[in-house]
Amino acid sequence: MSALVEISDLHVRFVGERTVHAINGVDLTLNAGETLGLLGESGSGKSVTLRALLRLLPKRRTVISGSIRVLDQDVLALDGEALSRFRGRTVSMIFQEPALALDPVYSIGSQIAETVMRHEGCSRAAADQRALEMLNVVRIPSAKSRLAAYPHELSGGMRQRAMIALALSCKPKILLADEPTTALDATVQIQILLLLRELQREFGMSVIFVTHDIGVAVEISDRLAVMYGGQIVEQGALRDIIRAPSHPYTRGLLGSNAHAAPKGQRLETIPGAPPVLDAVPRACPFAARCAVVEQRCNLQPPPVVEIADGRLTRCFLAAGQDASAMN
Amino acid sequence: MDRNAASLPQLEDLGGAAQPLLRVEHLTKHFPVAGGLLAKRRTVRAVDDVTFAVGKGETLGIVGESGCGKSTTARVLMQLAPPDSGEILFDGMLVGGRDMSIAEFRRGVQMVFQDSYASLNPRLTVEQSITFGLKAQGISGAAARKVARDLLSKVGLRPEIFAERYPHEISGGQRQRVNIARALALSPRLVILDEAVSALDKSVEAQVLNLLVDLKTEFGLTYLFISHDLNVVRYMSDRVMVMYLGEVVEYGPVESLWARAAHPYTRALLSAMPSIDPDRRTQTAPLAGDPPNPIDPPSGCRFHPRCPHAEPVCAQTKPPLFAVEDEAHRAACLMIVPGSGHSASARLPSAMRDA
């Protein structure tokens, strides 16, 4: 397995009226053909990581450092035509609100065709043909007649399918999915998750799937990275993390899920609220809410420890006694 | 409880424990939709002949997808939109009739909404928001402030820190705690929680759920818990009611409903829940397509166009809410109604056929 995406020591800071240190040292790799789940709560930096990867963050108000390499291209150095080629052909993205991501004044078919023509320089007829193909790929019923439909004429689930069709129309190697099922009803959400799983295999692409819902992450991911306070606090194979979470935050998150809790028994909770991130965390950002916090957690950043093959945890406790030496 | 000394007393319990706190009979709310110039007028049947009861001290969960009428049911209940027809009985008293005015009813029933920010006045401090209703009910300013501060500590917010803050200065979880405190200020007997935890992060959601459980015991509350999240509903509710396109399709005790869901829609909803076990991922989607638009819903059983078990009879006959195993668990599906004409009803065990 070779890494398609290599993010190392990524820092993203938003400046303006108020400074927010959204990403504070993210290291992440995405391998060919895998689906990586990025799990976290609001403000944890999961969406910002995706947007940085596609260079969607507002230039004037964002300070980015570190490196993002996709297929050996330096993404942070891309500009102009190279950036346009990168978006859509190499990496493509789907969003939570297809109604906002799609253009309301063009039909679904013409939006897909335009994208194909722009990237592949083919004829309108060939692009139209591809648009029809793509609507079939995402299993939109009576695809031919839906080509002429405008986004508002489609139901929520169909709009999301149309957006997936648009995102995949130039056969990208990497698909970024930013909570694409969060706004959907339960019976529709599962359809879209199954569709993405099938398409991932069919197209052999790699996927980064951002979600706040553990259930959704379990349904879609091969590997999981858990984010907190702009850092990845734990990553590894999905099964290992769900079975035996090692970071106290992941343990708390899995424990506070009402899924398995018997009625009448109190839910385990993580006290307090996520950090505000108006400064770079100089210690463990989770220390204030951690059930097993120690003195050193408030004094210095915890090390990233490889507790098993490919299984990383950012915690002193995982490092054992000689943690300070490792750091 | 001395907490109530300065504030409003809870409305008196009239009918005793056996009388449901809330009875809703044949509640209906339709919204007309303007058609085109020559098109006929169409109707959104948002809530259609909905009947249910909530026992004292119980939590009734209402689940369903968008457009099923769960939120409209709550809003019509609160008289935020007047019902077209149907009766609401609060502890045996007809609401809006001689027994109980709408103002009295609203004091006994309070509501917490999904959007914690939109439901608070941005120009009022936390304390002013909580005392607003009390003052409207004639409680003096000083007494109201005392109640507000007491309630803030009950919901886990230190009054000396939070009382003077404005909604934009606090987090979503804290705002939802303020909304809960405000709802409790009038000493209601019934609290309607309409997706009250849906917008919160998971770790905060668990905190608020624990809080709701504690407050229920402490204040002797009854909850109507509306949510699309079945895990949360299962955790919170004693009984659950499933709605589809404005109608109740199944209700029953939570264990019975989860173990023996009888309506194909309930079964689909349950199996659409994402798995939490990596080795037991969902393999097939239980339903195809989206929930249909509640404008001019299908004839007969409204679920029949999406139902894997639908037969021609389903398009013609409206299924009654029929007992599944006992009276407490009922489902509106022709497959469990003996002699309904659906082929599955002929295969019912004889004990049920004779019932």
Side-chain angles (χ1 to χ4, degrees), chain A:
Chain A
M1 277 198 298
S2 62
L4 284 186
V5 179
E6 277 192 273
I7 299 177
S8 57
D9 200 28
L10 181 71
H11 290 254
V12 176
R13 185 172 89 230
F14 295 117
V15 291
E17 230 174 277
R18 203 163 71 87
T19 300
V20 177
H21 295 261
I23 305 286
N24 303 298
V26 160
D27 295 285
L28 195 65
T29 56
L30 177 69
N31 299 313
E34 78 170 350
T35 300
L36 172 71
L38 213 50
L39 179 71
E41 298 183 291
S42 38
S44 63
K46 53 195 193 309
S47 292
V48 178
T49 306
L50 276 203
R51 277 154 208 263
L53 189 46
L54 204 53
R55 293 276 306 281
L56 291 177
L57 297 169
K59 221 172 182 174
R60 287 179 49 206
R61 304 189 53 182
T62 319
V63 181
I64 304 181
S65 68
S67 93
I68 301 178
R69 297 192 74 81
V70 174
L71 293 167
D72 282 324
Q73 269 182 303
D74 181 356
V75 174
L76 297 180
L78 289 180
D79 230 335
E81 193 50 37
L83 183 58
S84 298
R85 267 201 310 276
F86 171 74
R87 292 175 178 157
R89 295 211 75 165
T90 312
V91 181
S92 185
M93 188 156 172
I94 56 177
F95 300 88
Q96 181 173 342
E97 274 296 341
L100 298 177
L102 293 167
D103 192 325
V105 300
Y106 291 95
S107 69
I108 296 296
S110 61
Q111 291 187 51
I112 299 177
E114 188 198 340
T115 310
V116 176
M117 278 155 55
R118 170 77 173 68
H119 279 292
E120 303 191 355
C122 60
S123 71
R124 177 80 205 199
D128 283 342
Q129 186 54 39
R130 173 76 67 81
L132 177 61
E133 222 174 86
M134 290 314 296
L135 292 196
N136 280 318
V137 160
V138 297
R139 283 81 156 160
I140 290 184
S142 41
K144 200 152 194 170
S145 62
R146 297 299 175 94
L147 279 174
Y150 289 89
H152 75 271
E153 296 174 310
L154 301 177
S155 65
M158 286 304 144
R159 267 204 296 263
Q160 196 55 276
R161 285 172 194 265
M163 191 163 70
I164 295 170
L166 177 61
L168 299 186
S169 58
C170 295
K171 315 258 189 284
K173 308 219 164 26
I174 299 157
L175 179 70
L176 307 179
D178 191 1
E179 306 239 17
T181 63
T182 304
L184 301 175
D185 277 315
T187 58
V188 182
Q189 164 168 289
I190 197 73
Q191 296 172 33
I192 299 292
L193 290 175
L194 292 174
L195 174 69
L196 283 172
R197 244 156 60 183
E198 281 170 40
L199 294 178
Q200 189 266 331
R201 277 197 300 268
E202 218 169 279
F203 284 63
M205 59 186 175
S206 303
V207 180
I208 303 182
F209 194 104
V210 159
T211 181
H212 68 281
D213 185 324
I214 298 169
V216 168
V218 167
E219 288 285 0
I220 196 92
S221 332
D222 304 314
R223 219 152 51 80
L224 190 65
V226 182
M227 290 198 74
Y228 188 84
Q231 295 176 336
I232 291 172
V233 294
E234 175 159 11
Q235 61 173 306
L238 171 84
R239 189 175 279 106
D240 299 342
I241 293 184
I242 298 294
R243 291 279 146 76
S246 74
H247 194 281
Y249 174 66
T250 320
R251 282 208 295 270
L253 208 55
L254 287 169
S256 62
N257 199 323
H259 184 92
K263 231 183 115 48
Q265 186 179 312
R266 289 184 76 75
L267 293 172
E268 281 175 46
T269 61
I270 305 174
V276 280
L277 297 178
D278 48 5
V280 183
R282 272 185 300 182
C284 174
F286 188 61
R289 308 175 72 188
C290 185
V292 290
V293 65
E294 294 178 0
Q295 201 178 8
R296 56 183 167 171
C297 306
N298 281 310
L299 297 174
Q300 49 181 311
V304 177
V305 187
E306 182 155 17
I307 54 168
D309 196 25
R311 185 78 197 280
L312 301 172
T313 297
R314 190 185 281 265
C315 181
F316 281 115
L317 292 162
Q321 295 309 311
D322 49 335
S324 47
M326 289 187 65
N327 198 36

Side-chain angles (χ1 to χ4, degrees), chain B residues 205-274:
Chain B
E205 177 187 275
Q207 294 170 10
V208 175
L209 289 177
N210 280 342
L211 173 71
L212 287 171
V213 170
D214 293 344
L215 294 172
K216 185 176 176 223
T217 320
E218 179 168 357
F219 295 100
L221 299 171
T222 299
Y223 285 155
L224 198 60
F225 191 90
I226 300 170
S227 177
H228 70 282
D229 184 335
L230 292 169
N231 287 326
V232 172
V233 166
R234 178 192 194 169
Y235 176 72
M236 290 294 288
S237 312
D238 302 302
R239 288 194 308 126
V240 173
M241 176 165 108
V242 185
M243 291 186 71
Y244 186 77
L245 287 188
E247 294 182 330
V248 178
V249 295
E250 185 159 7
Y251 66 79
V254 65
E255 303 79 19
S256 175
L257 199 80
W258 251 254
R260 292 175 294 279
H263 198 285
Y265 178 64
T266 312
R267 292 205 289 258
L269 264 189
L270 289 171
S271 56
M273 284 159 73

